[in-house]
Amino acid sequence: MTVAMFAVASAQERTVTGQVIYAGDGEPLVGASVLPIGGGVGCSTDIDGKFTLKVGANVKRLKVSYVGMKTAEVDITSNNLLVKLDNADNRS
């Protein structure tokens, strides 16, 4: 029974890949945080701004953040996303 439950749980996961770039110049953002909204384990982007993340079937959005940039919440619309982050506006 445990094996059957594991097989069902594994079947409900999917892999999402993508890249996080700076909207100003298109350069990749190294070390951006990518977190699934609704549960799961997040990751950081690599030297090319790319990430690979396993998410549950119930996860529909990702939260992407980087120091000095506005945090973005993006819909998972495909298995290969392009996320563009803008500078944070620190003016009050």
Side-chain angles (χ1 to χ4, degrees):
M1 176 130 180
T2 303
V3 173
M5 289 175 56
F6 177 74
V8 170
S10 295
Q12 294 178 355
E13 279 191 343
R14 66 183 192 257
T15 301
V16 177
T17 61
Q19 185 179 30
V20 181
I21 63 173
Y22 171 50
D25 61 10
E27 288 294 313
L29 295 176
V30 181
S33 295
V34 183
L35 300 169
I37 297 173
V41 178
C43 68
S44 296
T45 57
D46 67 12
I47 194 164
D48 297 315
K50 295 183 178 182
F51 65 90
T52 300
L53 191 62
K54 288 194 183 245
V55 298
N58 64 321
V59 175
K60 307 292 184 210
R61 294 174 61 79
L62 300 176
K63 182 176 181 179
V64 184
S65 61
Y66 189 78
V67 174
M69 301 283 173
K70 292 179 185 175
T71 298
E73 289 189 9
V74 296
D75 292 328
I76 301 173
T77 55
S78 71
N79 288 337
N80 192 13
L81 301 170
L82 179 62
V83 181
K84 297 177 183 179
L85 297 183
D86 268 324
N87 287 325
D89 185 9
N90 293 329
R91 294 179 222 165
S92 298

